[in-house]
């Protein structure tokens, strides 16, 4: 079975060849129409390849948007819930594909850390599975040699008596400063993301957006679990911290805005949004470069600092389906299901 089918316009053949090579380098079996057998009809081969591939990457460009073949192949991939959209230029895919998220590869030149390419790789892992054979082993760094022993003291040297200990008040102040400093450092370590899923998954990153990171946490018996990001026992996300002292912050309240988001869509969720119901825009994608597998839940705190309780939510699946949960009262609702 082919892992990845690529649909494109022949005018973009050179750029598509670069993309096909990069996907193959990740360990996936790729098919595109350069391998079309001369004795078989084009339509029969394409239909068979799309149906049997695990993922179909559609490469949109100005020429591809005008191609009936590319549109037909994209439609077949969408119906089979295996569509991955990419764009080679700053264009909007034709209807109805403009309603589905598209990875921007317009300025990609093969860089591994390119945001659009990272998004494509995340989608390939979600639809085709990971390819561990191509994961490069981390280089083994030799331990540094031990420092040389200090030279022995001169026999004539006079050792000064130790200084008298500071008063008890000074000791307490120094210890308090260390605790405050340690608390600040711990707080910085505890704020890697706005979104945590209590299950196993791939770790991703983003230049501008916090990423959903999945973990497989086995809690020792008899011990309290580690606090989740957004819970009352953890350091709040940066977006929910109080305003500086010189600014007048919003009035505080005692509402609990901790909710559990549950993916029951039967698909991988590629994008996740939420925003205050009074706002017109969704705001940034909360997953960043990560994806949210089916069946997993996420514990999050929904608080934009305005004191509002009503929020809108939207999950976008790998097939482009948008699951919207509008006007949810996060101060009284505990679970939000996306199905």
């Amino acid at each position: 079975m082919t892992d990845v089918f690529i649909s494109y316009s022949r005018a973009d053949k050179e750029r598509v060849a670069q993309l096909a090579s990069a996907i193959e380098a990740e360990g996936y079996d790729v098919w595109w129409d350069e391998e079309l057998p001369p004795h078989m009809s084009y339509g029969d081969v394409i239909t068979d390849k799309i149906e049997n591939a695990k993922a179909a990457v559609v490469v949109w460009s100005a020429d591809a948007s005008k191609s009936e073949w590319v549109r037909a192949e994209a439609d077949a991939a969408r119906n089979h819930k295996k569509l991955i959209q990419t764009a080679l230029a700053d264009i909007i895919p034709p209807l109805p594909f403009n309603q589905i998220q598209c990875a921007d590869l317009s300025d990609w030149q093969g860089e591994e850390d390119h945001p659009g390419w990272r998004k494509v790789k995340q989608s390939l892992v979600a639809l085709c599975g990971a390819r561990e054979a191509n994961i490069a082993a981390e280089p083994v760094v030799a331990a540094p040699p031990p420092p040389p022993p200090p030279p022995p003291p001169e026999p004539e040297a006079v050792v000064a008596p130790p200084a008298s200990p500071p008063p008890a008040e000074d000791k307490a102040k120094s210890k308090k400063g260390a605790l405050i400093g340690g608390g600040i450092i711990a707080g910085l370590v505890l704020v890697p993301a706005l979104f945590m899923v209590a299950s196993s998954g791939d770790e991703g990153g983003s230049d501008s957006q916090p990423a959903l990171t999945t973990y497989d946490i086995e809690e020792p018996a008899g011990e309290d679990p580690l606090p989740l990001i957004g819970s009352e026992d953890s350091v709040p996300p940066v977006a929910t911290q109080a305003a500086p002292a010189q600014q007048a912050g919003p009035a505080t309240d005692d509402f609990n805005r901790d909710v559990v988001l549950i993916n029951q869509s039967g698909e991988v969720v590629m994008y996740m949004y939420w925003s205050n119901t009074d706002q017109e825009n969704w705001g940034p994608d909360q997953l960043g470069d990560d994806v949210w597998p089916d069946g997993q839940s996420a514990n999050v705190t929904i608080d934009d600092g305005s004191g509002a309780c009503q929020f809108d939510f939207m999950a976008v699946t790998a097939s482009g389906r948008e699951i919207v949960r509008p006007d949810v009262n996060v101060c009284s609702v505990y679970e939000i299901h996306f199905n």
Side-chain angles (χ1 to χ4, degrees):
M1 175 185 290
T2 301
D3 289 323
V4 182
F5 171 90
I6 300 181
S7 174
Y8 71 105
S9 168
R10 287 189 174 274
D12 306 312
K13 183 177 179 180
E14 184 176 345
R15 295 283 303 278
V16 173
Q18 180 187 28
L19 177 61
S21 297
I23 295 175
E24 288 176 342
E26 294 295 319
Y28 298 104
D29 181 26
V30 176
W31 191 96
W32 52 319
D33 62 8
E34 272 210 333
E35 304 172 14
L36 185 68
H39 65 282
M40 298 183 66
S41 68
Y42 185 87
D44 292 340
V45 174
I46 295 299
T47 301
D48 176 72
K49 292 298 181 181
I50 293 178
E51 289 180 354
N52 290 285
K54 298 177 182 177
V57 176
V58 176
V59 184
W60 291 113
S61 65
D63 293 299
S65 298
K66 302 173 185 177
S67 170
E68 294 184 3
W69 277 109
V70 175
R71 293 191 185 196
E73 291 161 4
D75 190 57
R78 183 186 61 167
N79 293 336
H80 286 85
K81 300 186 184 301
K82 59 183 67 173
L83 174 63
I84 301 175
Q85 295 199 124
T86 65
L88 296 181
D90 185 15
I91 64 168
I92 299 176
L95 288 170
F97 307 104
N98 61 340
Q99 303 299 315
I100 304 173
Q101 295 290 341
C102 188
D104 182 10
L105 299 179
S106 57
D107 60 348
W108 178 64
Q109 298 298 328
E111 305 93 333
E112 282 296 317
D113 60 347
H114 188 278
W117 172 237
R118 288 204 306 264
K119 200 75 174 180
V120 172
K121 290 193 292 185
Q122 290 280 358
S123 299
L124 291 173
V125 170
L127 293 173
C128 304
R131 294 295 185 266
E132 296 182 359
N134 280 341
I135 299 177
E138 295 184 1
V140 178
V141 180
E154 295 289 339
E156 308 77 40
V158 178
V159 180
S164 58
E169 181 180 356
D170 290 341
K171 280 188 175 181
K173 183 181 296 183
S174 174
K175 184 177 182 181
K176 180 178 179 182
L179 289 175
I180 294 175
I184 294 174
I185 295 173
L188 293 175
V189 173
L190 287 175
V191 190
L194 291 176
F195 203 105
M196 175 182 290
V197 178
S199 176
S200 63
D202 296 328
E203 182 176 351
S206 175
D207 296 335
S208 59
Q209 300 300 331
L212 179 150
T213 307
T214 61
Y215 300 89
D216 190 358
I217 303 174
E218 183 176 352
E219 298 175 357
E223 296 185 9
D224 294 334
L226 292 173
L228 294 175
I229 299 301
S231 68
E232 295 180 356
D233 297 328
S234 68
V235 178
V238 175
T240 62
Q241 291 180 353
Q246 67 271 19
Q247 299 179 2
T252 60
D253 55 50
D254 296 328
F255 291 115
N256 180 0
R257 295 180 172 85
D258 298 337
V259 297
V260 179
L261 309 182
I262 303 174
N263 181 8
Q264 297 176 328
S265 64
E267 302 180 60
V268 175
V269 170
M270 308 301 296
Y271 306 88
M272 185 71 214
Y273 306 92
W274 64 71
S275 64
N276 190 313
T277 300
D278 293 335
Q279 294 181 356
E280 295 183 2
N281 300 320
W282 280 110
D285 169 27
Q286 300 294 337
L287 297 186
D289 288 329
D290 284 333
V291 295
W292 186 18
D294 177 47
Q296 291 189 355
S297 60
N299 301 278
V300 299
T301 299
I302 310 298
D303 190 353
D304 62 357
S306 67
C309 292
Q310 304 298 127
F311 280 78
D312 301 327
F313 295 80
M314 180 173 69
V316 182
T317 68
S319 67
R321 183 160 59 99
E322 296 180 352
I323 306 173
V324 180
R325 298 290 178 265
D327 200 22
V328 177
N329 188 334
V330 298
C331 298
S332 61
V333 172
Y334 175 67
E335 293 183 350
I336 305 174
H337 297 257
F338 297 87
N339 47 29

